Amino acid sequence: MPEQKRIRREKKTVGEMVRLYCRERHGSGGELCPECQELLAYAFKRLDHCKFGESKPACGKCKVHCYKPELRQKIIGVMRYAGPKMIYHHPLIAVRHLLDGMKSK
Ligand SMILES: [Zn+2]
């Protein structure tokens, strides 16, 4: 079974957000810093293991809190920072629902 569309889209979105965050906040050019590499690898792994697949809700709204607390805090920081910019830079990637879900916790 090919990788599910929904999961692939979330990976692309989270990848773009981490890259933008790392470039502007950590001053990395092109390459992600080790910390952000680890965070992104972790986020991808969580998505691969997500049991909801195609019917997956936005991660922030998900009932299963599959992130480790410290990485959860980091990804929330990335989304808060990069989310609004993503809408500007990549209007096709809608991240609002993701953001809203994360913030309401
Ligand atoms: Zn970084």
Side-chain angles (χ1 to χ4, degrees):
M1 191 161 149
E3 194 173 27
Q4 292 162 312
K5 253 194 263 168
R6 168 102 209 208
I7 297 294
R8 202 163 55 214
R9 200 167 59 222
E10 291 234 3
K11 279 185 177 175
K12 188 164 158 18
T13 305
V14 74
E16 293 288 345
M17 287 200 284
V18 171
R19 253 188 295 281
L20 189 145
Y21 180 84
C22 192
R23 194 169 63 229
E24 298 191 0
R25 295 295 292 269
H26 298 155
S28 63
E31 290 287 301
L32 290 176
C33 72
E35 189 188 331
C36 290
Q37 267 174 32
E38 189 201 339
L39 179 63
L40 188 58
Y42 184 78
F44 279 14
K45 212 163 68 191
R46 296 328 311 163
L47 283 169
D48 283 337
H49 292 192
C50 182
K51 64 180 179 180
F52 295 106
E54 285 297 295
S55 59
K56 179 182 164 323
C59 284
K61 293 211 164 113
C62 196
K63 284 191 287 294
V64 179
H65 295 303
C66 64
Y67 276 64
K68 290 193 279 192
E70 76 267 29
L71 288 171
R72 185 176 157 79
Q73 285 314 308
K74 277 190 198 172
I75 201 81
I76 289 173
V78 168
M79 286 183 181
R80 276 193 189 149
Y81 180 81
K85 288 164 186 271
M86 289 298 293
I87 291 164
Y88 180 73
H89 289 295
H90 303 274
L92 292 179
I93 304 178
V95 291
R96 269 223 74 83
H97 67 288
L98 258 172
L99 260 179
D100 289 345
M102 284 284 185
K103 271 194 264 195
S104 65
K105 285 284 136 46

